Amino acid sequence: MRRRVLLLLLPALVASACGIPADEKPRAIAAEDLPPGLASRPTTTTTPPVDSVVRTIYFVRETTEGDPRLAPTPKRVRLPADIPQVLDTLFSGPDTREVSSRIPDELRLLDFSLDAASGTLTLNLSSELGTVTGTGQTLAFAQIVWTVTEFPDVRAVRFEIEGRPTDAPTPQESLPIVRRSDYQQYAAEVTGTPR
């Protein structure tokens, strides 16, 4: 009987002698000390946030000839995906190196209004818009115009800088009100009829 009890206790004694020591608090284990199956990171899928939608934002792509072109780029925009949110997304710049932006850093939308009868959107922007010159300035205006005219109710854009009306530069001339068609020469990558 004593022998039987010892045989029953022997595995328990061996197991307790080989057990994992108890730590008082968690400790980090180096990746190289993990078994191979645990060392690799699991693949995760990213679910798009439900508080955003994809909208077309216009950035700039350089061509092999060196001529910049507007590049329609899908980008997530926070809901309600209205004009302020879309412009904020445009002003924050692209997420990829394939395209760039001529929008000056720190540019902000101060105010806007839409004349529903004419479809003319008035944008009051911060003074940074006036810091860009030459083709860069024309492209910055083109990016804004093509992006906001993605809204079906917007057919033309009038600009203000710090509340002062400002003519928008186009490749041909400066105009008080501009449309997509005024920047058509930059739209080689863009399909569809200009408005």
Side-chain angles (χ1 to χ4, degrees), residues 7-190:
L7 286 174
L8 290 174
L9 288 176
L10 186 60
L13 291 172
V14 170
S16 66
C18 296
I20 299 173
D23 289 342
E24 291 181 22
K25 56 184 175 181
R27 61 185 165 119
I29 300 173
E32 60 268 6
D33 294 337
L34 291 173
L38 294 177
S40 63
R41 293 187 167 184
T43 303
T44 59
T45 56
T46 305
T47 304
V50 294
D51 61 344
S52 67
V53 294
V54 174
R55 295 293 305 251
T56 300
I57 307 294
Y58 287 87
F59 293 111
V60 177
R61 186 183 320 273
E62 299 296 332
T63 65
T64 53
E65 296 82 26
D67 298 324
R69 296 287 182 249
L70 291 172
T73 308
K75 194 168 178 186
R76 288 214 156 268
V77 177
R78 288 182 44 200
L79 291 175
D82 55 7
I83 288 170
Q85 289 294 346
V86 166
L87 285 175
D88 186 55
T89 303
L90 170 64
F91 297 167
S92 69
D95 297 329
T96 174
R97 292 182 181 184
E98 295 175 9
V99 293
S100 62
S101 180
R102 299 305 191 273
I103 305 287
D105 291 340
E106 309 301 322
L107 182 64
R108 296 176 329 279
L109 174 66
L110 303 178
D111 194 17
F112 75 98
S113 63
L114 177 64
D115 180 328
S118 68
T120 301
L121 175 68
T122 300
L123 296 175
N124 182 14
L125 300 168
S126 61
S127 61
E128 289 82 6
L129 188 58
T131 63
V132 186
T133 59
T135 303
Q137 184 184 49
T138 306
L139 280 165
F141 278 84
Q143 284 182 251
I144 295 168
V145 170
W146 276 73
T147 296
V148 296
T149 54
E150 282 290 311
F151 289 94
D153 296 339
V154 178
R155 293 186 295 278
V157 184
R158 175 184 292 123
F159 286 90
E160 295 177 356
I161 296 179
E162 303 281 344
R164 292 182 312 277
T166 302
D167 285 354
T170 73
Q172 290 75 36
E173 61 185 323
S174 292
L175 299 169
I177 297 175
V178 287
R179 293 170 175 74
R180 279 185 173 216
S181 57
D182 294 312
Y183 300 98
Q184 188 61 34
Q185 82 174 52
Y186 296 130
E189 292 192 32
V190 181

